[in-house]
Amino acid sequence: MKNFIILLSLLGIVVSMLSCNTVEEEPNYTYKIDSVWWSDVIDGNSDGYSQFERLNFIVHLKENTSQNISGRVYYKLREASNFSFYAFSKDKRVIGENEDNYLFVSIGSPNKELQRGVYDFSIEVFQTNQSDIKAEPDSLQLITLSSKKFEKSENDNTFTLNISWVDKYDRTGNGYFRSASLVIDANNNESVTRNLDAKIYYKRSEDSDFQLYTERLNFEIYGNSDNDTIIIPVGSPNTMLEYGEYDFRVDLFEAGKDNLLAFEDMENPLLSKQKFESEDEDSYYYTISNVWWSDSTDMDSDSFTSLRKLHYDVDVDKNETRTLFAKVYMRLYEESPTDSSDYDILYDSTSNFTITGSNVNDSYFSWIGNNTTALDSSKYDILISVFDADVVDTTQSAVASLSGFTETILNEQSFETASQDSL
């Protein structure tokens, strides 16, 4: 009896251990290849045999979940019996409830180029880390995947595109450019002159569809020359791009025709998630938000001061620290002042000072009176102009100004020399 009880105890322990090690099975989600199509056909000599095409397909996941999947593409010559593996699509996190999840595989460079022939293709969809096939093409989709003509690029009239960026301008230094120049170097495998058209497309990186940005028509290249590049301004004078990340695409055509010769898109890192913003977003806007006087010296109490401190608080529209300097101009008071009259006395040009956003504790000041330049007894109008110290330009204009024309505290101000102010 004692041995029987021990045996039952051991069995209980084993059962308990097995139950603890049980791994919950992954749910068997429902996938479907919703549509299949070809795009971006490159057939440089127009003989019907492509050196490149992009195989696109949409995958639906029925359940309300998201999963990682990939596509596997297979190929065979039309007359062959068995398919061989060709390439993987990129892994993709797909969204359920029958949302469109786009995948593609490039047939041709940078993947394996195919010998001249007629080919059939097939697709299998797999969930990451699982070995069973989740979806395959239906019979109509297999027709789309059949009888495709390919050849190697060396047997075609081959064009290539080299892409680079220059003259990126980021006024605020936040990594988002108001403008840049896209340099396009088109090359051909034959040392002859070609006339080409280039079309440049763009989209926000999170969007699906490109739209035309601009085009350059009927430009000339010669073979693989580096001296026939074209430059496309992105931003001014072309359309400004609002704050965001953008993908670009460059399509190359024979001049006046619509046969695609080469293209580059967001698969090229230089055309993916490029950061741009508008000129307004990439600018600093300054205001002189407050002006006041302090430390007045008027020895003879006639309201004409021989010394005063002029304070000015400058704000900027971004919460950043900026380096500025100011110039204070004066002119003799006019009975009917207009702001068109010259402030012909440059009274003070300050050292650099810093401000931060709309901080009220970063004001600067200029002394007006006998500690700087004495002013003969009279009434004066005053102009304060603020300059951005980071702008290196001898002809630069003020980024903010304030004058007696709009601020009474700067209008009809009475000053006199120290000797005139004596008791």
Side-chain angles (χ1 to χ4, degrees):
M1 183 66 178
K2 182 178 179 182
N3 290 337
F4 180 71
I5 293 172
I6 294 172
L7 179 61
L8 285 177
S9 298
L10 291 171
L11 286 173
I13 293 170
V14 171
V15 170
S16 176
M17 290 176 64
L18 289 173
S19 63
C20 290
N21 290 331
T22 300
V23 178
E24 185 177 342
E25 289 188 9
E26 181 75 21
N28 189 21
Y29 296 118
T30 308
Y31 294 88
K32 176 186 177 183
I33 298 177
D34 180 69
S35 57
V36 175
W37 73 100
W38 296 89
S39 67
D40 305 311
V41 178
I42 297 179
D43 176 13
N45 57 15
S46 301
D47 64 353
Y49 286 79
S50 306
Q51 61 168 283
F52 177 94
E53 294 191 33
R54 181 169 280 175
L55 174 54
N56 312 276
F57 50 104
I58 296 291
V59 176
H60 283 178
L61 169 58
K62 182 179 179 180
E63 287 77 17
N64 181 17
T65 183
S66 61
Q67 297 294 322
N68 291 325
I69 68 166
S70 66
R72 300 179 186 177
V73 172
Y74 300 84
Y75 77 111
K76 69 178 184 70
L77 283 166
R78 188 77 179 92
E79 61 272 16
S81 301
N82 299 318
F83 282 95
S84 299
F85 174 73
Y86 181 76
F88 292 100
S89 72
K90 287 186 176 180
D91 286 356
K92 185 176 183 68
R93 186 76 176 176
V94 297
I95 301 171
E97 295 195 308
N98 291 324
E99 289 286 328
D100 286 350
N101 298 286
Y102 169 67
L103 294 88
F104 70 88
V105 170
S106 295
I107 310 300
S109 180
N111 292 323
K112 175 183 177 180
E113 293 190 349
L114 300 178
Q115 296 282 355
R116 185 179 177 92
V118 182
Y119 293 85
D120 296 337
F121 293 85
S122 186
I123 304 168
E124 294 175 350
V125 174
F126 289 80
Q127 191 170 305
T128 303
N129 298 326
Q130 294 190 9
S131 59
D132 57 316
I133 300 170
K134 297 298 184 182
E136 295 180 282
D138 59 29
S139 56
L140 289 176
Q141 292 166 356
L142 284 173
I143 294 174
T144 302
L145 293 167
S146 298
S147 301
K148 299 294 297 180
K149 295 180 178 180
F150 282 92
E151 66 180 351
K152 287 190 172 183
S153 59
E154 64 190 37
N155 299 319
D156 199 16
N157 183 16
T158 301
F159 290 80
T160 57
L161 286 169
N162 295 320
I163 302 296
S164 59
W165 293 95
V166 297
D167 301 327
K168 288 184 172 181
Y169 181 40
D170 176 14
R171 173 73 178 85
T172 59
N174 65 348
Y176 287 76
F177 301 95
R178 73 165 71 178
S179 62
S181 294
L182 179 61
V183 181
I184 301 171
D185 180 21
N187 295 300
N188 182 237
N189 61 348
E190 298 180 3
S191 297
V192 296
T193 299
R194 305 280 189 184
N195 287 84
L196 305 173
D197 294 339
K199 295 186 178 181
I200 295 84
Y201 302 84
Y202 78 113
K203 67 177 182 67
R204 287 188 177 268
S205 293
E206 64 270 21
D207 294 342
S208 299
D209 298 326
F210 282 98
Q211 55 183 310
L212 182 66
Y213 183 76
T214 190
E215 58 188 7
R216 181 69 58 83
L217 302 180
N218 198 28
F219 65 95
E220 190 175 276
I221 70 165
Y222 181 82
N224 290 312
S225 173
D226 296 329
N227 300 318
D228 50 15
T229 58
I230 60 171
I231 296 178
I232 305 297
V234 176
S236 180
N238 289 323
T239 304
M240 285 284 180
L241 300 179
E242 299 297 321
Y243 182 90
E245 294 184 349
Y246 291 84
D247 297 336
F248 293 87
R249 175 178 169 123
V250 179
D251 284 358
L252 191 68
F253 302 90
E254 187 177 347
K257 298 184 179 180
D258 59 1
N259 57 318
L260 184 65
L261 301 176
F263 76 95
E264 290 285 333
D265 63 4
M266 64 279 190
E267 292 301 293
N268 183 333
L270 289 174
L271 296 177
S272 174
K273 295 185 177 180
Q274 298 297 303
K275 295 179 178 181
F276 281 89
E277 63 185 354
S278 68
E279 184 174 342
D280 281 346
E281 293 165 324
D282 190 46
S283 298
Y284 293 103
Y285 292 94
Y286 299 91
T287 54
I288 301 175
S289 60
N290 195 15
V291 178
W292 68 98
W293 295 97
S294 73
D295 301 288
S296 296
T297 300
D298 181 9
M299 300 297 293
D300 57 9
S301 301
D302 63 353
S303 76
F304 282 74
T305 59
S306 57
L307 182 65
R308 259 191 283 168
K309 187 186 284 187
L310 174 61
H311 302 261
Y312 31 92
D313 182 22
V314 185
D315 292 339
V316 62
D317 65 333
K318 296 177 175 61
N319 189 28
E320 299 178 20
T321 298
R322 305 295 302 161
T323 302
L324 310 174
F325 65 91
K327 293 182 179 182
V328 177
Y329 298 88
M330 306 188 79
R331 69 183 179 188
L332 290 173
Y333 167 69
E334 299 177 359
E335 290 292 339
S336 301
T338 66
D339 232 23
S340 60
S341 300
D342 288 338
Y343 289 84
D344 51 1
I345 305 170
L346 174 57
Y347 191 83
D348 186 25
S349 184
T350 73
S351 302
N352 289 351
F353 59 92
T354 60
I355 65 164
T356 302
S358 55
N359 190 337
V360 298
N361 298 315
D362 56 8
S363 63
Y364 204 70
F365 64 87
S366 294
W367 282 105
I368 309 295
N370 63 14
N371 282 359
T372 52
T373 302
L375 294 170
D376 195 27
S377 181
S378 189
K379 294 182 178 180
Y380 297 86
D381 294 336
I382 300 172
L383 167 69
I384 305 169
S385 291
V386 177
F387 299 82
D388 191 330
D390 292 329
V391 177
V392 182
D393 183 355
T394 57
T395 62
Q396 74 175 118
S397 57
V399 296
S401 292
L402 202 61
S403 74
F405 185 68
T406 55
E407 295 295 317
T408 55
I409 200 171
L410 298 176
N411 183 52
E412 199 178 351
Q413 298 299 300
S414 301
F415 286 93
E416 61 186 359
T417 65
S419 60
Q420 292 167 336
D421 191 37
S422 60
L423 293 174

